[in-house]
Amino acid sequence: MEGAFTMTSEKLRVGLIGAGYWGPNLARNFRTSPDWDLAAICDLDLGRATKVSDQVGNVPVLSDVDELLSWSDLDAVAIATPARTHHRIALAALMAGKHVLVEKPLADSSEKGEEMVELARLKGLVLMADHTYCYTPAVLKIRELIGNGSLGDIHFIDSVRINLGLVQPDVDVFWDLAPHDLSIIDFILPDGLQPSHVSAHGADPLGAGRACVGHLSFPLAAGGLAHVHVNWLSPTKIRQMVIGGSKRTLVWDDLNPQQRLSLYDRGVNLERQSADGANRTASTISYRLGDTWSPALSEHEPLAQMVSEYASSIREGRPSRTDGSAGLRVLSVLEAASRSLSEDGRTSLVDRAELQLEETA
Amino acid sequence: MEGAFTMTSEKLRVGLIGAGYWGPNLARNFRTSPDWDLAAICDLDLGRATKVSDQVGNVPVLSDVDELLSWSDLDAVAIATPARTHHRIALAALMAGKHVLVEKPLADSSEKGEEMVELARLKGLVLMADHTYCYTPAVLKIRELIGNGSLGDIHFIDSVRINLGLVQPDVDVFWDLAPHDLSIIDFILPDGLQPSHVSAHGADPLGAGRACVGHLSFPLAAGGLAHVHVNWLSPTKIRQMVIGGSKRTLVWDDLNPQQRLSLYDRGVNLERQSADGANRTASTISYRLGDTWSPALSEHEPLAQMVSEYASSIREGRPSRTDGSAGLRVLSVLEAASRSLSEDGRTSLVDRAELQLEETA
Amino acid sequence: MEGAFTMTSEKLRVGLIGAGYWGPNLARNFRTSPDWDLAAICDLDLGRATKVSDQVGNVPVLSDVDELLSWSDLDAVAIATPARTHHRIALAALMAGKHVLVEKPLADSSEKGEEMVELARLKGLVLMADHTYCYTPAVLKIRELIGNGSLGDIHFIDSVRINLGLVQPDVDVFWDLAPHDLSIIDFILPDGLQPSHVSAHGADPLGAGRACVGHLSFPLAAGGLAHVHVNWLSPTKIRQMVIGGSKRTLVWDDLNPQQRLSLYDRGVNLERQSADGANRTASTISYRLGDTWSPALSEHEPLAQMVSEYASSIREGRPSRTDGSAGLRVLSVLEAASRSLSEDGRTSLVDRAELQLEETA
Amino acid sequence: MEGAFTMTSEKLRVGLIGAGYWGPNLARNFRTSPDWDLAAICDLDLGRATKVSDQVGNVPVLSDVDELLSWSDLDAVAIATPARTHHRIALAALMAGKHVLVEKPLADSSEKGEEMVELARLKGLVLMADHTYCYTPAVLKIRELIGNGSLGDIHFIDSVRINLGLVQPDVDVFWDLAPHDLSIIDFILPDGLQPSHVSAHGADPLGAGRACVGHLSFPLAAGGLAHVHVNWLSPTKIRQMVIGGSKRTLVWDDLNPQQRLSLYDRGVNLERQSADGANRTASTISYRLGDTWSPALSEHEPLAQMVSEYASSIREGRPSRTDGSAGLRVLSVLEAASRSLSEDGRTSLVDRAELQLEETA
């Protein structure tokens, strides 16, 4: 791996590309990270780059990406430009031997995303998706609880992300909001987001030209079902995910800072036994009505954790926790959802081939 | 209409058929109603009938339905037997010239339900579905608010009915819980429940032999979307319906007695205007962030209102507010949902012919 | 003890005195209890007694208390008459050798209550206060958690019981509502309710002739503070008790059936250490931000538990869990609160002598 | 008034004194205000002043207050130093002819506060207390609703401000938290905070050397009662104020952004009428169970409104909405509370003379 020679004790040097909506957040976190030197801020609009530079304190600015990529002492870039430009910039950066962090979504098509993942693999470089939610204390704890078996098998996931939201000019409510839910589901499930097919139902009751209300369903392993509800038109704000398991069920209410996670030892048990000498079996249903437990969560800024993970994955020569493949899996589900939506909810296959790629840096 | 000669000042005489789970509630409400004389309680198990009779105070009991129906001074029956017997008993009662109230669901197939509706129409008798929720103060107020235009056009309906529920031995979670949501939607929409098609997604993660988690989607008039989420496996209990309109959005939280209904004057406005001399039009999106209003609700027992409506519809020779056609519309949607579920969520047409029947008593 | 010869296997015979508001609840629970025979219902208004008898099924009725008390095969009485009559009836019953259960408050003065407790002690009979809340699953669990040290030392208790309530014609909001809070506090604290003094602040903003809003403060052992807020004029309903301890803090929200009890492992620690070689000490403050735990509660009717405890205390010849002394302690605090209220909140001593009585059956 | 010659069109020049905890917030708001020029930042620790200057962009710094006050082109100062220094700095500033804004509390004794108010009055300068909460949209709306009679007469105020809070090294929980509640009550009541007496109950269960739990009661006009509950030891966070009126009752839940204010048309009515020809009167109690209304609130930063009000009061030669007298009224109640606390809750008179001062700039 090209980055492997960087000493752990030295800071890595990163260039930020894109100083728009999300860029300043990345700039601030790279600037205050013990792992990183923010070497430059690059934006076509030099004034915008300068403004961000002033906020975080005197970082060199430039408007030419190619110039930035030509810097031999630059280890990595972070791309926070519009989605349609991700593919071009990421390929150029990878060709120049730089590690790459990309804003969500990874690209504007899974075909392009696939090229990016493939090139990173060939070059032995880190390609990371900025799935920020995955670095929140709540999601890290959920991943831990599922990973250590506290929930048992996952029976259902029900994710609701509704609010009176900005109707976007270019993307529908699925592409705007569901990447959060999908990247989280990808992160917390041991096998990631790998549905064989999805079904999407949406509505555009305003005549805005794109779905403003959306429901997305897909199967989980072993007979489970995931459902994502996204809505720009709700007067109330809900950000909640329920994860039902064979042992326990977890409720994550992101808008309740006093009790974000609740783990319920409640549920239905079904036990099969051979009922008599013959081949007949009978089932017994019983109910568990146990305690509820709400784990304390550490307090940290998710973005700080994310840039730290970016550095660690480079130094250790391994895929990051939210690598390009994760971004690609999210992209593939969104594309299948769009196909389903255009066909009135018909089940749409997710191309599994795309999802089996692995970044083996 | 046969019942039309009954004087308003006299009580109507009703026989209750079925003294199981729901029967006692009906018995109590008929007994205390100023409109009704509870003439008899009929159950194959005479002991069960006697027990209910004792609770409400000395009502004649019998075990033979045919004997009950032969009583010439009986105006009406209320059928609270298992769903598979509704069709046979209702037809016999209608043939005997009795008005009929039937527990939900109307029948166990829409074909049978159609026969019941048709026979009631021919005989000029009332056939009423016991959609109890429709007589709650909250649902009556919602119907009023939609009817008087307070919400504007309906953009979306999102209904959630989840709980750690009893896994039923014979029906899945759709047939167990969704009749509530569907009968309510039928009742509050001016045009009733008339979707052209539905799509259902479910899961049986326990291996119980039937869906325990379910999502049902169907279109509303003018581009809107309805979604019903039913779940027996949720550790938390939610009974909530959000009705988004072009003017206002209503949230009904049935488990919050202190604020069951909230009417939000919040939403997204999209205005179209001719943008220039050419044919091009532009849209402007704006947001309303107005007040929230929670109307006071009267306190009354829904079942008392329901039996009163049964009497009034008989006396006035008109269909009841929740007539057989309403029951049939709910049945047709459930049947289409079952077809969709068996085909992995494929969109399933609802037979519109069935739904155009009208009870013209 | 006179009742000691009653065999455990035989039912005890109880007469209910008073068939008004609360009497029917007692009648129903004595009737269905395996421990009790409801021998008679006694009320000056024989029609009222008969009505209750009909509801629970054919219990002998009478209107003369003295006649009831003369029955030699009667073991016990339950008094659910107006508070001003408790003293007279209870003394007569005790003199007649009957065990006595009394509705709250024990009497209308602590002097009278003291006589009742004293006579029961002399006669070796059970005198029990019907502090129903103490037999709810939530309060039983709280008592257990405090008793086993889960909370540590009790630092503060904050109890809120507010609602749009019926303005009582004869008593103020303290005497109407605070007996609940005080009897609960008495029950859950290992040493019971034994404050040296109390202070009460109230208001009668309507000019109703008695306090409709009230605040009651009194010290707990070891520097703690208890506060009870009662209010008839609140548009919202709150029934909440927070019990802060040195180890954990418990919140009981009685109107949240999904999470009635929450045990927070959060708090402030203060540690003293000898700071240097000299005699000076320094304190270090630290914060615990641990998990929250909500124990599952059993489901049972509190009144059924209460009548069962009444029987057990009689059979075992011991004071009941909510004995006459408990009722007397509540009464003494209420009286001191009234004195404080009449003197504009001046601290009022609670006569400790009254409280040191013990029922030694 | 000395500041009266400043033209409305010109910016006023302000010097910030104190660059500690709160100073940076003031600096940012003065910097972005159209009304103000932030002329200097002054702190004994020049490094700290420089750091704040860098954050808001190149404002001159100095460490000598006297030098700052000698600047003839300086109109005003904002004092954000420790409370014990407020008096000395404010007097010097007023003597130098500068308008003065002071952090809460106004001073560390009401005697000193009185001197400050008096001197401002003599010099015809604005003395303003930074009661930031009074400029939040919620509090401004509450003031409006009380002012226009929507609530009727105020029957009770119940304010709760509890949290797991920082145990302060120098002040108790009353002085730390209650200034918020008291300044808000002063602001929303047409006659301000003018209780004749107060009573305080507190506890120091940790042995921290000062009260960590506190209850404060005082009368309102016309028989009403106010109560403030402050607590550093609560594991849950509550910031709620209930204001009960003869017409309506308002609940302000500051931690519920979706419904901060709720106005309940619910309550108890007591009507007196002459009952018969004689002089006897009877009262009839009735209950209103009307709608609930939650007004939409504008979104603005309270501190921006506060610095704008500071400028307007200077330009218009009038007391600010939260003037020195308001700060002094809060101080007097806190002092009386401390006296009451030291005497075990004994009612303590508030010196009314102190409160009748008026700033007539």
Side-chain angles (χ1 to χ4, degrees):
Chain A
M1 186 183 126
E2 299 189 27
F5 299 108
T6 310
M7 298 290 290
T8 306
S9 53
E10 279 180 38
K11 288 189 172 195
L12 293 164
R13 289 171 54 79
V14 66
L16 171 64
I17 304 172
Y21 168 69
W22 194 246
N25 294 324
L26 287 170
R28 184 168 45 81
N29 277 279
F30 278 119
R31 193 69 163 101
T32 56
S33 165
D35 297 310
W36 291 99
D37 237 354
L38 179 56
I41 299 173
C42 178
D43 197 294
L44 286 176
D45 178 343
L46 206 56
R48 206 155 63 167
T50 305
K51 196 176 155 201
V52 176
S53 169
D54 286 352
Q55 285 169 7
V56 300
N58 275 340
V59 174
V61 297
L62 70 172
S63 62
D64 184 348
V65 170
D66 292 332
E67 188 188 331
L68 178 73
L69 295 179
S70 72
W71 294 4
S72 61
D73 60 350
L74 193 78
D75 299 288
V77 296
I79 303 175
T81 58
R84 68 181 180 282
T85 66
H86 288 178
H87 175 255
R88 185 176 52 74
I89 299 174
L91 290 193
L94 291 167
M95 290 304 296
K98 313 303 182 196
H99 302 284
V100 171
L101 172 77
V102 192
E103 270 325 282
K104 74 163 182 70
L106 191 67
D108 57 354
S109 82
S110 60
E111 193 183 333
K112 290 183 187 169
E114 213 169 324
E115 276 183 40
M116 292 158 66
V117 170
E118 179 69 8
L119 183 58
R121 195 183 60 77
L122 287 170
K123 304 287 283 185
L125 292 165
V126 164
L127 173 64
M128 179 170 176
D130 178 8
H131 291 167
T132 314
Y133 259 110
C134 299
Y135 298 93
T136 58
V139 174
L140 287 166
K141 175 61 78 174
I142 295 172
R143 177 182 161 111
E144 175 193 325
L145 290 168
I146 293 178
N148 69 20
S150 295
L151 301 194
D153 297 330
I154 304 305
H155 285 169
F156 65 91
I157 296 179
D158 192 60
S159 193
V160 179
R161 187 174 305 272
I162 68 179
N163 194 11
L164 194 58
L166 289 178
V167 172
Q168 299 291 322
D170 47 356
V171 295
D172 68 10
V173 71
F174 289 100
W175 283 78
D176 183 39
L177 298 183
H180 295 301
D181 308 276
L182 296 173
S183 62
I184 293 165
I185 293 171
D186 183 69
F187 188 73
I188 60 178
L189 292 182
D191 297 328
L193 181 74
Q194 305 221 34
S196 55
H197 56 276
V198 305
S199 179
H201 302 275
D204 174 20
L206 293 175
R210 61 198 62 85
C212 296
V213 177
H215 292 272
L216 184 62
S217 300
F218 54 87
L220 297 170
L225 178 69
H227 183 266
V228 176
H229 176 197
V230 285
N231 189 332
W232 280 332
L233 306 181
S234 168
T236 53
K237 186 175 184 175
I238 302 180
R239 286 188 186 171
Q240 186 174 293
M241 190 179 282
V242 182
I243 305 167
S246 57
K247 287 192 187 161
R248 292 191 191 80
T249 291
L250 189 148
V251 176
W252 170 30
D253 182 353
D254 203 41
L255 301 183
N256 182 0
Q258 304 211 29
Q259 192 169 336
R260 256 183 244 278
L261 296 188
S262 303
L263 200 61
Y264 293 86
D265 189 8
R266 295 167 58 92
V268 180
N269 291 338
L270 190 77
E271 275 158 44
R272 272 197 196 65
Q273 61 249 69
S274 151
D276 50 32
N279 282 338
R280 300 190 323 175
T281 58
S283 296
T284 311
I285 286 173
S286 63
Y287 295 85
R288 292 189 319 281
L289 296 168
D291 297 349
T292 301
W293 172 65
S294 177
L297 297 175
S298 64
E299 306 260 336
H300 66 251
E301 185 167 5
L303 220 39
Q305 288 250 2
M306 196 273 292
V307 304
S308 165
E309 165 69 4
Y310 188 22
S312 299
S313 62
I314 291 171
R315 285 180 169 137
E316 298 166 17
R318 59 165 174 82
S320 80
R321 283 180 153 197
T322 52
D323 64 6
S325 297
L328 187 52
R329 286 190 293 270
V330 170
L331 213 51
S332 301
V333 171
L334 287 171
E335 282 193 339
S338 289
R339 285 195 300 271
S340 173
L341 190 64
S342 71
E343 295 171 353
D344 217 8
R346 198 177 62 78
T347 292
S348 173
L349 292 181
V350 179
D351 188 351
R352 306 286 303 240
E354 295 165 4
L355 304 182
Q356 282 154 6
L357 291 170
E358 280 260 314
E359 187 173 326
T360 51
Chain B
M1 185 184 128
E2 300 188 28
F5 298 108
T6 310
M7 299 290 289
T8 306
S9 53
E10 280 181 37
K11 289 190 171 193
L12 292 164
R13 289 172 54 80
V14 66
L16 171 65
I17 303 171
Y21 169 68
W22 194 246
N25 295 323
L26 287 171
R28 184 168 43 81
N29 277 278
F30 278 118
R31 194 71 162 101
T32 56
S33 165
D35 296 310
W36 290 99
D37 236 356
L38 180 55
I41 300 174
C42 179
D43 198 293
L44 286 175
D45 178 342
L46 205 57
R48 205 155 63 167
T50 304
K51 194 174 157 204
V52 176
S53 170
D54 285 351
Q55 284 169 7
V56 300
N58 274 339
V59 175
V61 297
L62 69 174
S63 62
D64 183 349
V65 170
D66 293 332
E67 186 189 333
L68 177 73
L69 295 179
S70 72
W71 294 3
S72 60
D73 60 350
L74 193 78
D75 298 288
V77 297
I79 303 174
T81 57
R84 67 181 181 283
T85 67
H86 288 180
H87 175 255
R88 184 175 52 76
I89 299 174
L91 289 193
L94 291 167
M95 289 304 295
K98 313 302 182 195
H99 302 284
V100 171
L101 171 76
V102 193
E103 271 323 282
K104 75 164 180 68
L106 191 66
D108 57 354
S109 82
S110 61
E111 193 183 332
K112 290 183 186 167
E114 212 170 324
E115 277 181 38
M116 291 158 67
V117 170
E118 180 68 9
L119 182 59
R121 194 183 59 75
L122 286 171
K123 304 286 283 184
L125 292 165
V126 164
L127 174 65
M128 179 169 177
D130 177 8
H131 291 166
T132 314
Y133 259 111
C134 299
Y135 298 92
T136 58
V139 174
L140 287 166
K141 175 62 80 174
I142 295 172
R143 176 182 161 110
E144 174 194 325
L145 290 168
I146 293 178
N148 69 20
S150 295
L151 301 193
D153 298 330
I154 303 306
H155 284 169
F156 65 90
I157 295 179
D158 192 59
S159 193
V160 179
R161 187 174 305 273
I162 68 179
N163 195 11
L164 194 58
L166 290 178
V167 172
Q168 299 292 321
D170 47 357
V171 295
D172 68 10
V173 72
F174 290 101
W175 283 78
D176 183 39
L177 298 182
H180 294 302
D181 309 274
L182 295 173
S183 62
I184 293 165
I185 293 172
D186 182 69
F187 187 74
I188 60 178
L189 293 182
D191 297 328
L193 181 74
Q194 305 223 33
S196 55
H197 57 275
V198 306
S199 179
H201 302 276
D204 173 21
L206 293 176
R210 61 197 65 87
C212 296
V213 178
H215 293 271
L216 183 61
S217 301
F218 53 87
L220 297 169
L225 178 69
H227 185 266
V228 176
H229 176 197
V230 284
N231 189 331
W232 280 332
L233 307 181
S234 169
T236 54
K237 186 174 183 175
I238 302 180
R239 286 188 186 172
Q240 186 174 292
M241 190 180 282
V242 183
I243 305 167
S246 57
K247 286 191 186 163
R248 292 189 189 83
T249 291
L250 189 148
V251 175
W252 169 30
D253 183 353
D254 202 43
L255 300 182
N256 182 0
Q258 304 212 28
Q259 191 170 336
R260 256 183 243 279
L261 296 188
S262 302
L263 199 61
Y264 293 86
D265 189 9
R266 297 167 56 95
V268 179
N269 292 337
L270 189 78
E271 276 159 42
R272 274 198 194 65
Q273 62 248 70
S274 152
D276 51 33
N279 282 338
R280 301 191 322 178
T281 58
S283 296
T284 312
I285 286 173
S286 63
Y287 295 84
R288 293 189 319 284
L289 296 168
D291 297 350
T292 301
W293 172 65
S294 176
L297 297 176
S298 64
E299 305 260 336
H300 65 251
E301 184 168 5
L303 220 39
Q305 288 250 1
M306 197 273 291
V307 304
S308 165
E309 166 69 4
Y310 187 23
S312 299
S313 62
I314 290 171
R315 287 180 167 137
E316 298 166 17
R318 59 164 176 81
S320 80
R321 284 179 152 195
T322 53
D323 65 6
S325 297
L328 187 52
R329 287 191 292 272
V330 169
L331 213 51
S332 301
V333 171
L334 287 171
E335 281 194 340
S338 288
R339 286 195 299 271
S340 173
L341 190 65
S342 71
E343 295 170 353
D344 218 7
R346 197 178 62 79
T347 293
S348 172
L349 291 181
V350 179
D351 187 350
R352 306 289 300 240
E354 296 164 3
L355 304 182
Q356 282 153 10
L357 291 169
E358 281 265 307
E359 188 173 324
T360 52
Chain C
M1 186 182 128
E2 301 187 26
F5 299 108
T6 310
M7 298 291 289
T8 306
S9 52
E10 280 180 38
K11 288 191 171 192
L12 293 164
R13 289 171 55 79
V14 66
L16 171 65
I17 304 172
Y21 169 68
W22 194 246
N25 295 323
L26 287 171
R28 184 169 43 83
N29 277 278
F30 278 119
R31 194 71 163 99
T32 56
S33 165
D35 296 311
W36 290 99
D37 237 353
L38 179 55
I41 299 175
C42 179
D43 197 294
L44 286 176
D45 179 343
L46 206 56
R48 206 155 62 168
T50 305
K51 195 176 155 202
V52 176
S53 169
D54 285 352
Q55 284 169 8
V56 300
N58 275 341
V59 175
V61 297
L62 70 173
S63 63
D64 184 348
V65 170
D66 293 332
E67 188 189 331
L68 178 73
L69 296 178
S70 72
W71 294 3
S72 60
D73 60 350
L74 193 79
D75 299 288
V77 296
I79 303 175
T81 58
R84 67 180 180 282
T85 67
H86 288 179
H87 174 256
R88 184 175 53 76
I89 299 174
L91 290 194
L94 292 167
M95 288 306 295
K98 313 303 182 196
H99 301 283
V100 172
L101 172 76
V102 193
E103 270 324 281
K104 76 165 180 66
L106 190 66
D108 56 354
S109 82
S110 60
E111 193 183 332
K112 290 183 187 169
E114 211 169 324
E115 276 182 40
M116 293 158 66
V117 170
E118 179 69 8
L119 183 59
R121 194 183 60 75
L122 286 171
K123 305 285 284 185
L125 292 165
V126 164
L127 173 66
M128 179 170 176
D130 177 7
H131 292 166
T132 315
Y133 259 111
C134 299
Y135 298 92
T136 58
V139 174
L140 288 166
K141 176 61 80 174
I142 295 172
R143 177 182 160 112
E144 175 193 325
L145 290 167
I146 293 178
N148 69 20
S150 295
L151 301 193
D153 298 330
I154 303 305
H155 284 168
F156 65 90
I157 295 179
D158 193 59
S159 193
V160 179
R161 186 174 305 273
I162 68 179
N163 195 11
L164 194 59
L166 289 177
V167 172
Q168 300 292 322
D170 46 356
V171 295
D172 68 11
V173 72
F174 289 100
W175 282 78
D176 183 39
L177 298 182
H180 294 302
D181 309 274
L182 296 173
S183 62
I184 294 165
I185 293 172
D186 183 70
F187 188 73
I188 59 178
L189 293 182
D191 297 328
L193 181 74
Q194 306 222 33
S196 55
H197 56 276
V198 306
S199 179
H201 302 275
D204 173 20
L206 293 175
R210 62 197 63 87
C212 296
V213 178
H215 292 272
L216 183 61
S217 300
F218 54 87
L220 296 170
L225 178 69
H227 184 266
V228 175
H229 177 197
V230 284
N231 190 331
W232 280 333
L233 307 180
S234 168
T236 53
K237 186 174 184 175
I238 302 180
R239 285 188 187 172
Q240 187 174 292
M241 191 180 279
V242 183
I243 305 167
S246 57
K247 286 192 186 162
R248 292 190 190 81
T249 291
L250 189 148
V251 176
W252 170 29
D253 183 352
D254 202 43
L255 301 182
N256 182 0
Q258 304 211 28
Q259 192 170 336
R260 256 183 244 279
L261 296 188
S262 302
L263 199 62
Y264 293 85
D265 190 9
R266 297 167 56 94
V268 180
N269 293 337
L270 190 78
E271 276 159 44
R272 277 201 192 63
Q273 61 248 70
S274 151
D276 50 32
N279 281 338
R280 299 191 325 176
T281 57
S283 295
T284 310
I285 286 173
S286 63
Y287 295 85
R288 293 190 318 282
L289 296 168
D291 297 349
T292 301
W293 172 66
S294 175
L297 297 175
S298 64
E299 305 260 336
H300 66 252
E301 185 167 4
L303 220 40
Q305 288 250 1
M306 197 273 293
V307 304
S308 165
E309 165 68 4
Y310 188 22
S312 299
S313 61
I314 291 171
R315 286 180 167 137
E316 299 166 18
R318 58 163 175 83
S320 80
R321 283 180 153 196
T322 53
D323 64 7
S325 297
L328 186 53
R329 287 190 293 272
V330 169
L331 212 52
S332 301
V333 171
L334 287 171
E335 282 194 339
S338 289
R339 285 194 301 271
S340 173
L341 191 65
S342 70
E343 295 171 352
D344 219 7
R346 197 177 63 79
T347 292
S348 172
L349 292 181
V350 179
D351 187 351
R352 307 288 301 241
E354 296 164 4
L355 304 182
Q356 282 154 8
L357 292 169
E358 279 258 313
E359 187 173 325
T360 51
Chain D
M1 184 183 129
E2 300 188 28
F5 299 108
T6 310
M7 300 290 289
T8 306
S9 55
E10 281 180 36
K11 289 190 171 193
L12 293 164
R13 288 171 55 80
V14 66
L16 171 64
I17 304 172
Y21 169 67
W22 194 245
N25 294 324
L26 287 170
R28 184 168 43 82
N29 277 278
F30 279 118
R31 193 71 163 101
T32 56
S33 165
D35 297 310
W36 291 99
D37 236 355
L38 179 55
I41 298 174
C42 178
D43 198 296
L44 287 176
D45 179 342
L46 206 56
R48 204 154 64 167
T50 304
K51 195 176 156 203
V52 176
S53 169
D54 286 351
Q55 284 169 7
V56 300
N58 275 341
V59 175
V61 298
L62 70 174
S63 62
D64 183 348
V65 171
D66 294 331
E67 187 188 332
L68 177 73
L69 295 179
S70 72
W71 292 4
S72 61
D73 61 350
L74 193 78
D75 298 289
V77 296
I79 303 175
T81 57
R84 67 181 181 282
T85 67
H86 288 179
H87 173 256
R88 185 175 52 74
I89 298 175
L91 290 193
L94 291 167
M95 290 304 295
K98 313 303 183 195
H99 301 284
V100 171
L101 172 76
V102 193
E103 271 324 281
K104 76 163 181 68
L106 190 68
D108 57 353
S109 82
S110 61
E111 193 183 332
K112 290 184 187 168
E114 211 170 325
E115 276 183 38
M116 292 159 66
V117 170
E118 180 69 9
L119 183 59
R121 194 182 60 76
L122 287 171
K123 303 287 283 185
L125 291 165
V126 164
L127 173 65
M128 180 169 175
D130 177 9
H131 291 166
T132 314
Y133 259 111
C134 299
Y135 299 92
T136 58
V139 175
L140 288 165
K141 175 61 80 174
I142 295 173
R143 176 184 161 110
E144 176 194 323
L145 290 168
I146 293 178
N148 68 20
S150 295
L151 300 193
D153 299 330
I154 303 306
H155 284 169
F156 66 89
I157 296 179
D158 193 59
S159 193
V160 179
R161 187 174 304 274
I162 68 180
N163 195 10
L164 195 58
L166 289 178
V167 172
Q168 299 292 320
D170 46 357
V171 294
D172 68 10
V173 72
F174 289 100
W175 282 79
D176 183 38
L177 298 182
H180 294 302
D181 308 275
L182 296 173
S183 62
I184 293 165
I185 293 172
D186 183 68
F187 188 74
I188 60 178
L189 292 182
D191 297 328
L193 181 73
Q194 305 223 34
S196 55
H197 56 274
V198 305
S199 178
H201 302 275
D204 173 20
L206 292 175
R210 61 198 64 85
C212 295
V213 177
H215 293 271
L216 184 61
S217 300
F218 53 88
L220 296 170
L225 178 69
H227 184 265
V228 175
H229 176 197
V230 285
N231 189 332
W232 280 332
L233 307 181
S234 169
T236 54
K237 186 175 184 175
I238 302 179
R239 287 186 184 173
Q240 186 174 290
M241 190 180 281
V242 182
I243 305 168
S246 56
K247 287 191 187 162
R248 291 189 190 81
T249 291
L250 189 149
V251 175
W252 169 30
D253 183 353
D254 203 42
L255 300 183
N256 182 0
Q258 303 213 30
Q259 191 170 334
R260 256 183 244 278
L261 296 188
S262 303
L263 199 62
Y264 293 86
D265 189 9
R266 295 167 58 93
V268 180
N269 291 339
L270 190 78
E271 276 159 42
R272 275 198 192 65
Q273 62 249 70
S274 151
D276 50 33
N279 282 338
R280 301 189 325 177
T281 58
S283 295
T284 311
I285 287 173
S286 63
Y287 295 85
R288 292 190 321 281
L289 296 168
D291 297 349
T292 301
W293 173 65
S294 176
L297 298 175
S298 64
E299 306 261 335
H300 65 250
E301 184 168 6
L303 221 38
Q305 288 249 2
M306 196 274 291
V307 304
S308 165
E309 166 69 5
Y310 188 22
S312 298
S313 62
I314 292 171
R315 285 179 168 139
E316 298 165 17
R318 59 165 175 82
S320 79
R321 283 180 153 197
T322 52
D323 64 6
S325 296
L328 186 52
R329 286 191 293 272
V330 170
L331 212 52
S332 301
V333 171
L334 287 171
E335 282 194 338
S338 289
R339 285 195 301 270
S340 173
L341 191 65
S342 71
E343 295 170 356
D344 217 7
R346 197 178 62 79
T347 294
S348 172
L349 292 181
V350 179
D351 187 350
R352 308 286 302 236
E354 295 164 5
L355 304 182
Q356 282 154 8
L357 290 170
E358 278 269 305
E359 188 173 324
T360 51

